[in-house]
Amino acid sequence: NAGVMQNPRHLVRRRGQEARLRCSPMKGHSHVYWYRQLPEEGLKFMVYLQKENIIDESGMPKERFSAEFPKEGPSILRIQQVVRGDSAAYFCASSPPTGFGYTFGSGTRLTVV
Amino acid sequence: QQQVKQSPQSLIVQKGGISIINCAYENTAFDYFPWYQQFPGKGPALLIAIRPDVSEKKEGRFTISFNKSAKQFSLHIMDSQPGDSATYFCAASRSARQLTFGSGTQLTVLP
């Protein structure tokens, strides 16, 4: 039973480019969450999605960031026109409908140069 | 009101000792309090979690103590081992959805 799969593990982008981070939830999990972790800090909630539906995006920056969880395929976190301040580790988690049994992936480390 | 305050920032313990990490929260709507362990380059892994209807939960060497009136909870690691050296995060949420994390405690267990 594979865990939460995130790819790529490491991503380097130049300022102004787009970054696409992918997350495949655990089998049987229908809820996906994205978090961002800056160096030496805790994780900050960004967005909570179910299939084809954004439930809570209160932690998402208003501009340049978007997320989706289509009917088929992984969840995608998209960052347009990246800036150096976007450099961080981005973690995806998934859970069953109850919310309990929250499982994190190993993260995508984004570096903007 | 959404903050979770965690202390200490770093902790050094001798092998076999007890590690204690504390967290405090403000939002009384929180009803789920997990602790996560994170190794460098890895995602957080759930260690143990508690609901506010109990004051203590123990799983192996890990114990959560919960004080609802003080809005505080703590993680105790008994018989700490070098393999426990990691960063520990407390978190809180309402109905196990959006988690609000503490700032983390870097634990070092000396051999």
Side-chain angles (χ1 to χ4, degrees):
Chain A
N1 185 15
V4 177
M5 304 300 293
Q6 287 190 251
N7 64 81
R9 290 295 308 275
H10 300 275
L11 183 61
V12 179
R13 284 288 177 265
R14 295 188 183 278
R15 280 179 296 170
Q17 290 185 320
E18 178 179 289
R20 281 184 176 239
L21 288 62
R22 288 176 290 278
C23 169
S24 296
M26 281 185 69
K27 187 176 180 181
H29 285 190
S30 55
H31 297 226
V32 166
Y33 313 80
W34 286 92
Y35 287 78
R36 176 164 61 177
Q37 185 176 33
L38 294 170
E40 309 299 324
E41 291 188 14
L43 285 79
K44 304 290 188 199
F45 168 79
M46 299 181 74
V47 62
Y48 162 34
L49 310 102
Q50 295 177 23
K51 288 278 187 182
E52 300 183 285
N53 207 6
I54 296 175
I55 306 301
D56 180 354
E57 56 181 349
S58 58
M60 286 275 273
K62 294 286 186 284
E63 297 178 352
R64 303 187 297 109
F65 285 73
S66 62
E68 62 176 5
F69 189 16
K71 186 176 181 181
E72 302 290 338
S75 175
I76 305 287
L77 179 67
R78 182 183 178 203
I79 311 171
Q80 295 179 290
Q81 300 175 334
V82 296
V83 300
R84 288 226 170 102
D86 297 332
S87 295
Y90 291 83
F91 290 96
C92 168
S94 71
S95 77
T98 60
F100 299 100
Y102 222 110
T103 303
F104 281 89
S106 294
T108 293
R109 277 130 189 100
L110 172 66
T111 302
V112 179
V113 297
Chain B
Q1 198 178 18
Q2 292 294 326
Q3 269 192 321
V4 176
K5 295 183 180 179
Q6 183 172 346
S7 63
Q9 189 175 5
S10 62
L11 180 62
I12 300 175
V13 173
Q14 293 286 343
K15 178 182 175 182
I18 302 173
S19 304
I20 302 174
I21 305 170
N22 301 299
C23 283
Y25 65 97
E26 294 288 330
N27 189 344
T28 54
F30 287 150
D31 61 2
Y32 177 67
F33 303 88
W35 284 89
Y36 285 85
Q37 178 189 57
Q38 186 178 30
F39 293 103
K42 300 292 185 182
L46 179 64
L47 263 181
I48 186 172
I50 198 167
R51 303 292 297 273
D53 51 347
V54 297
S55 59
E56 186 174 282
K57 182 175 181 180
K58 183 176 181 180
E59 289 184 0
R61 296 185 295 110
F62 301 93
T63 300
I64 299 179
S65 297
F66 186 83
N67 185 330
K68 188 174 181 178
S69 61
K71 293 186 284 186
Q72 295 175 346
F73 57 111
S74 60
L75 176 69
H76 292 61
I77 306 174
M78 313 299 287
D79 187 26
S80 299
Q81 299 297 312
D84 296 331
S85 297
T87 301
Y88 292 80
F89 293 96
C90 63
S93 79
R94 186 175 177 182
S95 302
R97 296 296 178 201
Q98 169 190 338
L99 290 172
T100 300
F101 281 84
S103 54
T105 296
Q106 189 164 352
L107 172 66
T108 303
V109 181
L110 300 175

